[in-house]
Amino acid sequence: VVARAAGLDMDVIVSAALRIVDADGLDGLTMRRVSAALGVTAMALYHHVDGKERLLDLVVDQSLTALPMIEDDLRDFFIALHRMLVARPALAQAMAARPLEGPVATAAAERALAALRRSGFNDDQAANTFVSMFSYTLGASLYRISRTPLRATGEFPGVDADRTPAVHRVRRTLAASATDEQRFRRVLDTLLAGEPPH
Amino acid sequence: VVARAAGLDMDVIVSAALRIVDADGLDGLTMRRVSAALGVTAMALYHHVDGKERLLDLVVDQSLTALPMIEDDLRDFFIALHRMLVARPALAQAMAARPLEGPVATAAAERALAALRRSGFNDDQAANTFVSMFSYTLGASLYRISRTPLRATGEFPGVDADRTPAVHRVRRTLAASATDEQRFRRVLDTLLAGEPPH
DNA sequence: ACCTGAACACCGTTCAAGT
DNA sequence: ACCTGAACACCGTTCAAGT
């Protein structure tokens, strides 16, 4: 019955959403919970944000501000991105589903392309290298997230019981590789060297 | 009021879910719609499947049966996977969120590791190479999916209006690279060669 | 312009009941 | 064992109304 100014604006909403995503996962993010955390009706959010999907875009873009500025070495940036996505899995899943075309993301891409050109790449090579490194980082983060909590056996009907020892070995081997940050760094190096300024 | 056998079983349910996922996307997959497609109550599904998340795991695993058997060249397999994920984006998003430990996925991993060992890799090198190639394929597919429908400008509040030409250029460059299958193949080659059997 | 309250059309899942 | 019907505790979003 009040309807008085609640100091609501886009940044406040995005910050609240980010906290909820970190605490309760991607499925825990609902307009109603965000509004409750701000002491406001769910409908109040719609005056500042276009809807849940747009809110998620803003959350993803905002989360990128936690990463270090790109200077010359792209490796540092992607290692930091990888660490962040592993630590905040909901963000990785959100990035997998959303376009990633916010202002922060675009600015980072511009800086990355400029850095690559400075080191001798032409426009195409720079774009290819950046896209490859980003794709690999996202995929490696998602794969690692899904492998980290090694699941109980027998959850999947249809796996022959007598094959499970072998299945277990395969899973353990792959999980070990997925959590190996040395491997991650080596692949980044490989991708950086893969498109040489011939 | 009937409650008569409806020929329902797990495979029928998974197939129906797969059709819905392809037609309506990941968000379009609901227990109620799957059940409606089968002419059955939503609750009937729960006698054959543990819940929506488990159903999604089964859908993801089942979708992998459409891929070619892994013989010796892993490239063919990952190129086929990439094509499938781009053509069926909901599956890519589901793979990004689910563990990928079904029987079909595990069998494919076993065959891939065996093929790598035959070509001279030891266990660790084989696992690293497989994980890298899979991670990259998943990430590249997701990135490409999100870049393909080039969005309208001005959707993101906070992008300075006078920067939009530059922003546009960056986006176009990256979109072009993302849809370049030649680049995708070259990176796969690089990853295959990156962990040489020294 | 900013916010509320009620309502609509959905969700996943539980539970008692039927055959 | 297999299925139904009603119900519970949620969703996102629209819309008329209030200040």
Side-chain angles (χ1 to χ4, degrees), chain A residues 58-129:
Chain A
L58 296 168
V59 164
V60 167
D61 202 59
Q62 174 62 30
S63 73
L64 297 176
T65 60
L67 296 176
M69 258 291 192
I70 293 175
E71 303 292 345
D72 283 313
D73 192 359
L74 285 194
R75 281 193 350 156
D76 295 341
F77 175 78
F78 284 111
I79 289 170
L81 176 60
H82 185 235
R83 287 200 182 126
M84 183 177 85
L85 295 183
V86 169
R88 305 165 79 182
L91 289 178
Q93 284 162 28
M95 279 192 192
R98 308 296 314 158
L100 258 178
E101 295 187 342
V104 182
T106 309
E110 278 177 343
R111 285 186 68 90
L113 293 176
L116 287 167
R117 278 190 294 259
R118 275 198 304 278
S119 67
F121 289 39
N122 68 27
D123 282 16
D124 277 354
Q125 292 164 337
N128 286 343
T129 304

Side-chain angles (χ1 to χ4, degrees), chain B residues 130-153:
Chain B
F130 175 74
V131 169
S132 299
M133 290 179 85
F134 177 81
S135 299
Y136 173 66
T137 301
L138 178 59
S141 304
L142 290 167
Y143 188 82
R144 170 158 173 185
I145 289 164
S146 75
R147 291 282 164 173
T148 296
L150 215 46
R151 274 147 227 278
T153 359

